Each structure stands twice: as structure tokens, then as C-alpha cells.
Amino acid sequence: LARTINTPTGNVLPIPKVDDTATNAALQTEGSGITVADMTFGNTDLSAYTYATLVKVSEQLAQDEDVNLASYLVDLLGERVARITNAALTTGDGSAKPNGVITAAATGKTTASATAITDEELIDLFYSVDPAYRMGESVKWMMNDTVHAYIRKLGLIAAENYNPITFDQTGTMFILGKEVKINQDMESSIATGNATVLFGDFSGYMVRTAGGLNIKRLDQRFADELNIGYIAYRRIDGDLISAGSPLKKLVQA
């Protein structure tokens, strides 16, 4: 869901950021000067942190396999890297690693109960985000699958009255008309202090990659063991690039 950028190198990439939601253009009369309305820019620096994994495969397996083992390994190693980078981009603390989207998001609503979520609190979270950030294709809800199941039951309970939770023909859940996405690296437990739900414009969060997924084959390193090594790595960083608050989180009391 995030805005993404891929660069050929991993040098520090400065991204300007500004919150201009409160400033409008002005009606201009003929021949008059235009009022200056400067923007206050901040800066977010995106690095390229390396996430890697290594696997050894025996020469015998490589010789005897009937499928394209190398291609299969590329897929599996890519999934390993994807899992760790998704976790970092979700909950990373920004200390020599990405500043995860949960860490970067402001608190929009704190629940009354440490162990429960109500329809009303979801509505409050929705309206805690500025209307300027509630439009567009990147505006979504995000939560763990366990929390998704909990909120789905809220929809059944509230069905007799106004229900902010709806579903399309594929079973996809919507809250106040905005699609809900599953992220298994978010908190699964509805417990004290946990950030359980995220809402807003995810284009305000940028993911920077340097060179995409890289695969290296090591023929010599493990030759005395009759093994072949495969390394997969990816250089990545992420942070909020908006000076405003396009994303808000629901935090348990």
C-alpha cells in the first residue's frame, strides 16, 4: 500500500516533507499582487538497510532434482526476505532500521477498554484523520487477521442498527466504505497498550529499495562439503514522508 521508490544505489536519500492541508490558494483580482504563502518543509532521510538470508543445498540434490531447483530457491528465499522486511516496515523502531508504519503513525484514538474494540471507536479513529487524507486509492484500514476476525463479529452484532462494517461479494471487509487489509506483523492481541488498528492514507509512507532482490550463488565456499550456497538480500528503508498525520492508529487502553 505504501508509496515506493527504487534507486540504483543505497546512498542516503533525502525526501522533503510538508503539511499544507491548512493552506488554500486565494481569489485573485486583476492587476493585484499575489499574497505569498510559503511552505515549511521538513526532511526525511531514507537509507538502505540490508536484510539477507543464506541456504546450503547439496550437490547431490542439485544433480538429482527434476525441477528447476534454482528458480524454486529464488522464490523461497524471496519470501524469507519479504517476511522480515514487512515486519521491519510495520514495527521497526527507526534505530538502524526502518521506521515502521505503526511506529511512525500518530495515535488517533485510545480505546476505553484494554481488551475490547467498539464500532464507535473505529468511527472515532476514522474521523481523527484529516478529511484531506481520507480520499484516494491508498486510504485503507490495516490490522492483524485475529483483530480482523474480532471486528467482523462486531459487524454481526451491530447488524440490527447502523452498521459501519460491510462486505463485498468476495468477502472483503470495509469499514465506513474503506477496504481493510491484513498485515500479520501487526499486533494480534487486543491487550493493554497494543496498537491494533491502523487507518489512513498509506501513500504518506514511503518504502525505498536499492536495486531490488539480489541472489548470489556460492559454488566454492562450501565445496569441501559438496554443498552450494545461495544468498538472497535486499536493501530497504521506510518512513513517514508527510509532515502531517495521514495515518492514525487505534491504541488499547
Side-chain angles (χ1 to χ4, degrees):
L1 295 180
R3 184 179 304 186
T4 59
I5 183 171
N6 187 27
T7 58
T9 67
N11 298 330
V12 173
L13 181 66
I15 304 292
K17 62 181 182 180
V18 64
D19 181 10
D20 201 42
T21 57
T23 305
N24 296 328
L27 178 65
Q28 193 67 25
T29 58
E30 185 176 351
S32 63
I34 301 174
T35 302
V36 176
D38 287 336
M39 295 180 179
T40 302
F41 283 93
N43 197 64
T44 296
D45 289 334
L46 294 179
S47 298
Y49 301 107
T50 302
Y51 291 87
T53 185
L54 168 64
V55 66
K56 295 190 296 183
V57 177
S58 71
E59 290 272 9
Q60 293 90 336
L61 177 61
Q63 290 173 358
D64 296 342
E65 54 91 12
D66 291 326
V67 296
N68 189 340
L69 181 62
S71 177
Y72 185 50
L73 285 172
V74 167
D75 290 341
L76 293 176
L77 294 176
E79 289 176 8
R80 282 188 183 181
V81 175
R83 282 191 290 269
I84 186 62
T85 52
N86 188 77
L89 294 168
T90 302
T91 59
D93 62 12
S95 177
K97 63 176 72 69
N99 194 35
V101 66
I102 286 291
T103 309
T107 298
K109 178 68 177 179
T110 300
T111 63
S113 168
T115 57
I117 301 169
T118 67
D119 289 337
E120 289 82 1
E121 287 164 346
L122 294 174
I123 294 172
D124 287 342
L125 178 62
F126 179 91
Y127 284 103
S128 73
V129 175
D130 189 284
Y133 295 124
R134 298 204 307 261
M135 298 179 289
E137 292 298 318
S138 297
V139 180
K140 310 284 183 184
W141 299 81
M142 183 175 283
M143 60 194 69
N144 185 280
D145 198 53
T146 301
V147 178
H148 186 280
Y150 177 95
I151 291 175
R152 185 162 194 158
K153 294 171 187 176
L154 289 182
L156 295 175
I157 294 170
E160 296 179 0
N161 304 309
Y162 169 70
N163 186 6
I165 303 167
T166 57
F167 303 89
D168 67 10
Q169 63 273 18
T170 68
T172 300
M173 186 161 72
F174 293 79
I175 302 175
L176 293 170
K178 301 298 182 182
E179 185 180 357
V180 180
K181 292 290 188 180
I182 303 296
N183 183 346
Q184 287 300 82
D185 289 305
M186 286 184 62
E187 289 284 357
S188 62
S189 176
I190 301 174
T192 304
N194 286 350
T196 48
V197 181
L198 190 62
F199 172 73
D201 185 356
F202 282 83
S203 68
Y205 185 87
M206 178 172 281
V207 174
R208 182 267 182 100
T209 61
L213 180 69
N214 296 275
I215 305 290
K216 291 186 178 296
R217 173 174 166 146
L218 310 177
D219 287 308
Q220 302 302 321
R221 179 176 176 182
F222 306 108
D224 61 327
E225 305 172 4
L226 292 180
N227 283 324
I228 304 168
Y230 289 88
I231 291 176
Y233 71 92
R234 190 180 191 188
R235 303 176 69 196
I236 197 166
D237 195 10
D239 205 349
L240 202 65
I241 58 168
S242 172
S245 298
L247 291 163
K248 294 286 187 72
K249 57 191 173 186
L250 183 73
V251 178
Q252 301 302 131

